[in-house]
Amino acid sequence: EMSTYVAMDAAVKFVKLKVRNQSGRSRRVSLTGYWELVLGEWRHANLMNIVTDKDPDTGALFARNPYSRAFPSRIFFAQVSEPKRTVTGSRTEFIGRNRSLAAPAALHRTRLSGRTGAALDPCAALQTEIVLAEGQEREIVFIVGTAGDADEARALITRFGGPAGARQALEDVWAHWNHALGAVYIETPDRALDVLANGWLVYQT
């Protein structure tokens, strides 16, 4: 199962995966998150300026575009909740020569190279491996976001980077929408109108 949502009070997006082993045997599973980086108006105009690196404190992948006209000092970050991970900042490595995202080369290897830096076709990719016993269930959280500087990025990763932080953020999202969409409630002879008006139309507006 996969849930995707954003934090209410921070520039952080979550991809939460719940994996359950029903195969009848122990399984070793790898999970990979991949994002192409723009960090500006158009990817083709900015990719030569994007610099990636692995943060030594958190293990997250950071990316910057110091030539961005609007946000030259901001940092993009990507992180996965599992402590054992490999990363790459090279889209060419991830997809592979003459390949596509339908079957990227990275998914045929046991790990990502850790290559980061400048002058790459930039991306953010993180891969982790877990072992699931028969019947076992695990939650793995990938987060991506942006921050004003490295210290703020690390604070957001600490707050949201694990299953507990991701769960709290989702509960905050639920609470917000339950409050916002519950402000108006109608009952009419037309059940279809009730379904449309009680939540959906308010949400669209």
Side-chain angles (χ1 to χ4, degrees), residues 101-122:
L101 285 176
L107 300 189
H108 296 275
R109 303 189 189 109
T110 57
R111 65 189 311 278
L112 301 176
S113 70
R115 186 179 183 196
T116 60
L120 300 173
D121 183 0

Side-chain angles (χ1 to χ4, degrees), residues 4-7 10-15 35 77 141-146:
T4 304
Y5 51 97
V6 295
V12 179
K13 178 179 179 178
F14 301 82
V15 179
W35 297 268
F77 59 87
V141 179
F142 289 89
I143 63 169
V144 293
T146 181

Side-chain angles (χ1 to χ4, degrees), residues 32-44:
T32 305
Y34 168 84
W35 297 268
E36 292 189 0
L37 300 175
V38 179
L39 306 189
E41 297 88 351
W42 301 283
R43 187 173 192 280
H44 69 273

